[in-house]
């Protein structure tokens, strides 16, 4: 493939709730752009991006897969991301390196729980988005209801640019409100033709075009001036304004279709090219690294595949150009690495290329220790890019090899797993000596253990899942005095501190720890104040109830004293640690447990059984709606009570019930 100019590159992700049709959209994009010659189907296990055996067995996306294709003279680098909440860290790492995204919504369900989660993730990264309302061929599909849910639940400004032709099984095409042309897809190969707008839709199309013009004119100054002058907007002005509003995040262009039936994908690709940003449209990384192929090389590693035959490191190149044989600096690891091969990836297949430059997403072979989040750059121009954030694990299982001879292999395999997925944490329990694997959910750990069995050929025994508890202060103490004095020959240690401990409330309540000092008159020098803070952080590792981490507390250093010879940073750090430990023991403490927002969809006749089961699981119902014989129940449930819930729900609903979860933080443990 010819290397396109940077302005003709689009790096985008496909985001959605599980089962919204995300992978099917990706497969149709690959087919229509000629990247593959046979349409893949999720239900047949023949998709390109869901290539892992577990993904095909379970019918869901688990691992973010990168693919490339060409459309209308543009290179599209696309990442199909997972839609299940347990794999949201894969979405986070992908969004960190993407310039734009297509959010896929189910035309029947609208905005679903994980849709909202990935949308908020994209908000945090400032990623411009298009919305694609999928499955318009399904019974109950309604574009307007889906658009309303985008507005109401996501707080976005949706701008529909299409009108569906036909409803449900009769959905055959769309009216393009910018060109005022109808596009109708034939059955079979999905070929489509541009036609005049049907007479029975002409009035509605004109009304929607008018509403679109008015909405754009309200948001865009240039469009507003033309609208005042001409009382309408030209297609060119409307298209330019929609691109500006998409890039700024002020509005979201909404398209629609049915990916399974190959309807609506070509206009979606046209919209990706027209509205989503090129790498050159994005602000310089860290404000100093421009998207320029001639600048010093700078890239961010966002994914690692550590296989038995070698390591592939996926990188987004932000600046400069890299070629085979070049040497780069890993500024996080502090070592230089040689690039042996550069690969343009198509999911589980790859094509070797000679070089990569600013705007590219490629895999490199050669770096031996670069982890996800590492910055690779020109050794002569070192720079550190902000790495993707990693969520804290909430569920743990004990894992051990069935055969004692496999213990070493298990340790190596677990290290590779955590290298590929930083949200998996491996540790050794100091009390039991067991190896503990921690992750973001029950399914997350199930997939990791299955990889050990399938990919590494290991027979392992897995304990019952355990959740990660926290402790916090319900009622603190004031004026706790601690004196650290040690004199055993040579230089002594002296530190005198007085602290207040209280729970955090208000806007800072989501923070784990806040430390302030009100000491005046230089009674405790600033370097010792920092040492006291460090000591307090040391004490937060284990709380007095059960040795769980302590969160949500404010510590204030109110007074102290020093010794001219025996005071030191070490002495004050020790004093801070023991002072906070004493304060925690003297306070009223509360045990916190992780909770999840659960959305259960069941036949209306099964609601009573589901509500009773949720109550038995200490769930708190927050919403309940019924539509068309289907009930949707939303509840907040302790995570520990959700283990095994899938099979229980199937049993209570004759296999017709489904549920999704979303982390909802921590709450006081209820009996």
């Amino acid at each position: 493939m010819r290397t396109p100019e940077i302005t003709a590159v689009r790096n985008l992700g496909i985001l959605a709730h599980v089962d919204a049709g995300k992978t099917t959209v990706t497969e149709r994009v690959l087919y229509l752009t000629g990247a593959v010659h046979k349409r893949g189907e999720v239900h047949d296990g023949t998709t390109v991006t869901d290539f892992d055996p577990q993904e095909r067995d379970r019918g869901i996306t688990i691992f973010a897969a990168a693919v490339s294709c060409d459309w209308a003279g543009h290179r599209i680098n696309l990442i199909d991301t997972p839609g299940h909440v347990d794999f949201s860290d894969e979405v986070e790492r992908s969004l960190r390196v993407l310039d734009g995204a297509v959010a896929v919504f189910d035309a029947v369900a609208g905005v679903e729980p994980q849709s909202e989660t990935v949308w908020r993730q994209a908000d945090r990264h400032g990623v411009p988005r298009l919305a694609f309302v999928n499955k318009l061929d399904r019974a109950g599909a309604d574009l307007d209801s889906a658009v309303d849910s985008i507005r109401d639940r996501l707080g976005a400004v949706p701008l529909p640019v299409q009108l569906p032709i036909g409803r449900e099984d009769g959905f055959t095409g769309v009216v393009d409100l910018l060109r005022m042309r109808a596009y109708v897809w034939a059955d079979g190969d999905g070929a489509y033709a541009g036609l005049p707008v049907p007479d029975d839709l002409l009035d509605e199309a004109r009304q929607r075009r008018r509403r679109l013009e008015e909405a754009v004119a309200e948001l865009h100054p240039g469009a507003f001036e033309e609208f005042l002058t001409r009382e309408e907007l030209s297609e060119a002005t409307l298209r330019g304004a929609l691109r500006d509003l998409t890039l700024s995040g002020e509005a979201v262009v909404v398209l629609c279709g049915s990916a399974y039936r190959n309807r609506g994908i070509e206009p979606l690709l046209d919209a990706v090219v027209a509205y989503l940003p090129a790498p050159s449209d994005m602000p310089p990384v860290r404000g100093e690294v421009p998207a320029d192929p001639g600048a010093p090389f700078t890239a961010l590693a966002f994914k690692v595949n550590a296989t038995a035959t070698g390591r592939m490191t996926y990188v987004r190149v932000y600046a400069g150009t890299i070629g085979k044989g070049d040497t780069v600096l890993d500024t996080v690891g502090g070592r230089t690495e040689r690039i042996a091969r550069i690969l343009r990836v198509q999911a589980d297949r790859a094509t070797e290329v000679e070089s990569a430059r600013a705007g590219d997403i490629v895999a490199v072979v050669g770096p031996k220790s670069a982890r996800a989040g590492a910055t690779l750059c020109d050794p002569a121009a070192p720079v550190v890019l902000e790495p993707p954030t990693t969520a804290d694990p909430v569920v743990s299982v004990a894992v051990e090899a069935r055969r004692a001879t496999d213990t070493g292999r298990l340790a190596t395999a677990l290290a590779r797993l955590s290298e590929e997925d930083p949200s998996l944490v491996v540790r050794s329990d100091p009390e039991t000596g067991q190896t503990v694997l921690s992750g973001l959910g029950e399914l997350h750990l199930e997939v990791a253990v299955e990889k050990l069995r399938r990919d590494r050929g290991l027979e392992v025994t897995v304990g019952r899942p355990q959740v990660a508890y926290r402790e916090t202060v319900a009622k603190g103490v004031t004026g706790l005095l601690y004196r650290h004095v040690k004199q055993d020959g040579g230089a002594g240690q002296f530190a005198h501190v007085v602290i207040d401990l209280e729970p955090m409330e208000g806007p800072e309540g989501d923070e784990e720890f806040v430390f302030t000092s009100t000491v005046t008159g230089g009674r405790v020098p600033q370097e010792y104040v920092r040492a006291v803070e460090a000591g307090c952080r040391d004490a937060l590792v284990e709380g007095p109830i059960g040795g769980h981490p302590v969160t949500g507390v404010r510590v204030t250093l109110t007074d102290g004293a020093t010794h001219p010879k025996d005071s030191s940073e070490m002495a004050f750090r020790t004093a801070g640690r023991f002072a906070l430990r004493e304060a925690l023991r003297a306070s009223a403490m509360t045990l916190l447990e992780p909770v999840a927002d659960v959305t259960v969809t069941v036949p209306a006749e099964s609601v009573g059984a589901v509500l009773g089961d949720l109550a038995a699981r200490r769930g708190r119902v927050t919403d309940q709606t019924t539509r068309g014989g289907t009930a949707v129940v939303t509840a907040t449930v302790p995570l520990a009570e959700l283990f095994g819930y899938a099979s229980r729900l199937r049993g209570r609903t004759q296999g017709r019930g489904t549920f999704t979860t979303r982390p909802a933080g921590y709450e006081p443990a209820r009996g």
Side-chain angles (χ1 to χ4, degrees), residues 91-172:
V91 182
E92 186 74 18
R93 290 193 294 275
S94 299
L95 283 171
R96 175 62 184 80
V97 299
L98 293 172
D99 302 324
V102 174
V104 180
F105 300 95
D106 187 316
V108 179
V111 175
E112 298 173 272
Q114 187 63 5
S115 312
E116 190 170 349
T117 298
V118 296
W119 189 273
R120 302 299 177 214
Q121 287 178 289
D123 279 342
R124 288 199 305 272
H125 289 280
V127 174
R129 275 144 284 171
L130 302 177
F132 182 71
V133 178
N134 191 27
K135 301 188 178 184
L136 272 175
D137 57 319
R138 286 184 58 198
D142 187 348
L143 174 63
D144 291 336
S145 293
V147 169
D148 288 343
S149 71
I150 292 172
R151 179 184 298 107
D152 298 339
R153 295 194 58 179
L154 302 180
V157 180
L159 298 175
V161 296
Q162 293 174 338
L163 167 66
I165 299 175
R167 292 180 61 85
E168 300 177 351
D169 279 347
F171 171 68
T172 58

